[in-house]
Amino acid sequence: MPVSRALETLFELRKPAEKTNKVLVVGVSSKWSLGLAIGEHMHNCGWQTVLTSRRPEKLAAKAPHHDIRFLDYPSSIDAIHDLTDLTGMVFCLAKTDVADSAQGGLLGVSEENFLKTIGTSCYAFIALVREVQRRNPKLRSVVALTFLGGERIVPGYEVLGVAKAALEHSVRALAAELGQENVRVNGVSAGAVPTTSSRVLPDFRKVHEVLSRQSFLRRGVTAEEIAGATAYLLSEQSGGMTGEILQVNGGLRHTVV
């Protein structure tokens, strides 16, 4: 092969991949959100990105390279109705009335807050996957963010822990239902990372320090590490994985806290 042609081939290989993959990231609350870290990572990997937020204007000013839309479940999911070319979806929603549950742990949670927490943090996942899968024949991978509090007792995480446990079982159930459609459904159990949501939990800083010390790595994990694991599950490199919860918490799941 002539040198000139060899160089042309080399340059062709180095060209950025065409953005044929497109991911929807649901529940980006602020610049500290894990959803934004995931969106940034996927954008850098060459994916088209659509992010939803309850404050799209503020987010758009900080991340103009994303398609950012308003979505406030359950009052509005119109933002995703025109999306028909998605190949991936990431669910990052989690919401509870912290003041309500802080009154007395799980026994102190009101029925209203319990149902709202389950609705936003779990049922919304089912509802949005249904809407997205129905409109997007190219959809191949769905990822839900969860936390160790879904299977262990973490102080201050009581009702959210119940919601995350339900979310993790929903991952397995949807994986079974959508497997025949060639859609994989997995979860990422993220270590304690300071985000807008986690900062409002009682004594989060103290809990974060304890959990970090107890992990095998003797440290917390980073948003970028969680984003990298999510990218793996969205990609075809994890093509044989579905119904799994990938633990990204420094080994914390295997320790006695």
Side-chain angles (χ1 to χ4, degrees), residues 46-114:
W47 287 50
Q48 296 180 57
T49 51
V50 181
L51 277 53
T52 76
S53 175
R54 288 186 297 135
R55 304 175 184 85
E57 300 83 6
K58 288 186 177 181
L59 197 60
K62 296 178 175 65
H65 44 282
H66 301 293
D67 178 357
I68 300 176
R69 305 179 177 202
F70 173 79
L71 189 149
D72 187 16
Y73 183 87
S75 60
S76 171
I77 59 171
D78 296 343
I80 66 171
H81 285 177
D82 66 330
L83 297 174
T84 57
D85 54 350
L86 294 171
T87 52
M89 171 185 159
V90 182
F91 180 81
C92 305
L93 280 180
K95 187 179 179 182
T96 191
D97 182 347
V98 177
D100 176 78
S101 56
Q103 299 301 315
L106 192 59
L107 289 175
V109 174
S110 66
E111 181 180 6
E112 180 184 12
N113 185 35
F114 184 90

Side-chain angles (χ1 to χ4, degrees), residues 94-180:
K95 187 179 179 182
T96 191
D97 182 347
V98 177
D100 176 78
S101 56
Q103 299 301 315
L106 192 59
L107 289 175
V109 174
S110 66
E111 181 180 6
E112 180 184 12
N113 185 35
F114 184 90
L115 294 176
K116 282 184 178 179
T117 302
I118 293 289
T120 303
S121 307
C122 177
Y123 182 73
F125 174 63
I126 300 168
L128 290 169
V129 169
R130 179 173 58 234
E131 293 299 310
V132 168
Q133 194 268 336
R134 185 162 61 89
R135 291 177 168 83
N136 293 269
K138 295 180 181 178
L139 185 70
R140 290 293 171 264
S141 182
V142 175
V143 180
L145 286 194
T146 181
F147 179 60
L148 188 63
E151 57 178 283
R152 298 278 194 91
I153 301 302
V154 176
Y157 209 74
E158 287 81 11
V159 67
L160 276 171
V162 175
K164 290 298 187 183
L167 177 65
E168 291 182 15
H169 189 75
S170 299
V171 164
R172 293 185 285 271
L174 290 180
E177 291 184 23
L178 294 176
Q180 61 186 353

